[in-house]
Amino acid sequence: MKKVFSVILFIIATTGIIVLTVYTLNHREERQNINHVVNKQPEKVGSNMTDNNLSEIYSLYLNNQKHKLKFEYIITFREDDLTAEGIFHLYLDGKGVISENILTGFIAADIKELFNDEEIKNTILLDINDFMIVKYDDIEYILCKIVYNLKGNIKEEYFIFNDKGDKLLDKVLIKDSNINYISEDNEEFYYENNTLAKFEDNYLYSLEYKKGVITEYKYYIKNDELQKEEINSYQNIKIKK
């Protein structure tokens, strides 16, 4: 009788161990799967402000590799007229990609006042929404927009660079608040929303003025090189300031 009872206890214990082991292994696999989920959406991972510097860091994935974008605004405050001047630097994984004078003649006492101002928030202060990942030949690139506020004159320009931080497109004008182009019929000459450049159907279109002529170009990337094609030309264009 004791032997039978011992055998029953052994069977129950062995079954329990097997069930517990299977349960643990299955749920450990589930936990491992959960821990390996990666968020590939661009996101802000850091921000720092000093008396003359604002730095913001974003993470993003390009071509299945994680990268860091750093926006840096270096601000100088002029004592003679109490205005601020600013330089914008963009870094990809520590490599300098863009360096532009983006701010002049803006009245502000300190950096907090400057970046709390609605006009500055709506112009030179960029976020990840000003950057777009575009793909050509299954390779991803970054199309970005830089905004300038130069003594109240608002300008916007496009740049394109690759995942090594090499610029392929440098300064295509999107908008300049000081300049209006008009045709010979005195009609304003723009794309939608008074812009001179637009990204559509994976092409960047641009209206570029020179000596009374606006030429429309189409930009794209092939074999890791920028391609520029002329698609239209418009005569007798005037600048209305």
Side-chain angles (χ1 to χ4, degrees), residues 4-27:
V4 173
F5 185 69
S6 297
V7 170
I8 293 173
L9 285 177
F10 176 77
I11 293 172
I12 293 173
T14 303
T15 303
I17 291 171
I18 293 172
V19 171
L20 182 62
T21 301
V22 172
Y23 177 86
T24 302
L25 289 174
N26 287 338
H27 283 73

Side-chain angles (χ1 to χ4, degrees), residues 140-154:
E140 293 178 329
Y141 302 86
I142 293 181
L143 171 69
C144 70
K145 178 182 71 177
I146 305 298
V147 185
Y148 306 75
N149 189 329
L150 306 174
K151 294 183 178 180
N153 176 31
I154 310 303

Side-chain angles (χ1 to χ4, degrees), residues 38 40 50 55 70 86 100 134 140 181 216-217 232:
V38 177
K40 291 192 175 184
T50 66
S55 298
K70 179 181 178 182
E100 293 287 318
V134 297
E140 293 178 329
Y181 294 113
E216 185 177 21
Y217 293 100
N232 281 304

Side-chain angles (χ1 to χ4, degrees), residues 15-56:
T15 303
I17 291 171
I18 293 172
V19 171
L20 182 62
T21 301
V22 172
Y23 177 86
T24 302
L25 289 174
N26 287 338
H27 283 73
R28 184 178 66 179
E29 183 177 350
E30 289 177 8
R31 289 197 299 272
Q32 288 175 343
N33 290 337
I34 292 173
N35 290 337
H36 282 83
V37 172
V38 177
N39 179 20
K40 291 192 175 184
Q41 295 299 315
E43 60 179 339
K44 184 186 287 190
V45 296
S47 180
N48 183 57
M49 180 182 287
T50 66
D51 289 343
N52 294 92
N53 181 290
L54 172 62
S55 298
E56 297 185 329

Side-chain angles (χ1 to χ4, degrees), residues 70-229:
K70 179 181 178 182
F71 303 171
E72 184 178 43
Y73 305 83
I74 299 176
I75 308 300
T76 302
F77 295 93
R78 294 168 53 94
E79 294 183 359
D80 55 347
D81 58 4
L82 302 178
T83 61
E85 297 180 349
I87 300 173
F88 173 75
H89 299 285
L90 185 141
Y91 301 90
L92 180 68
D93 299 328
K95 178 180 178 179
V97 180
I98 296 172
S99 181
E100 293 287 318
N101 294 310
I102 58 167
L103 179 69
T104 58
F106 194 88
I107 297 176
D110 56 45
I111 195 166
K112 288 185 178 179
E113 179 183 333
L114 177 69
F115 285 108
N116 283 330
D117 189 280
E118 288 300 320
E119 182 177 342
I120 294 301
K121 288 180 181 179
N122 293 328
T123 56
I124 71 166
L125 188 59
L126 306 179
D127 62 29
I128 202 65
N129 294 322
D130 294 303
F131 288 70
M132 180 188 301
I133 296 175
V134 297
K135 183 180 286 189
Y136 297 94
D137 300 327
D138 291 325
I139 300 174
E140 293 178 329
Y141 302 86
I142 293 181
L143 171 69
C144 70
K145 178 182 71 177
I146 305 298
V147 185
Y148 306 75
N149 189 329
L150 306 174
K151 294 183 178 180
N153 176 31
I154 310 303
K155 291 176 58 179
E156 300 176 8
E157 292 180 332
Y158 274 134
F159 297 78
I160 296 178
F161 56 95
N162 61 20
D163 59 3
K164 301 179 183 64
D166 302 320
K167 273 190 295 189
L168 282 73
L169 175 69
D170 189 12
K171 293 186 179 181
V172 164
L173 183 64
I174 307 169
K175 186 179 292 187
D176 187 331
S177 64
N178 272 4
I179 297 177
N180 292 312
Y181 294 113
I182 57 174
S183 69
E184 57 184 340
D185 298 325
N186 289 322
E187 294 184 357
E188 291 189 343
F189 198 93
Y190 291 106
Y191 291 130
E192 299 84 357
N193 301 318
N194 291 336
T195 59
L196 295 167
K198 63 179 181 178
F199 188 78
E200 187 175 271
D201 298 328
N202 218 37
Y203 293 105
L204 176 62
Y205 294 92
S206 174
L207 300 171
E208 302 178 19
Y209 177 87
K210 186 177 181 180
K211 296 181 178 179
V213 177
I214 280 185
T215 305
E216 185 177 21
Y217 293 100
K218 179 172 70 175
Y219 293 90
Y220 59 97
I221 296 170
K222 186 176 181 180
N223 299 325
D224 207 33
E225 293 184 355
L226 184 71
Q227 310 294 317
K228 181 179 180 179
E229 293 182 8

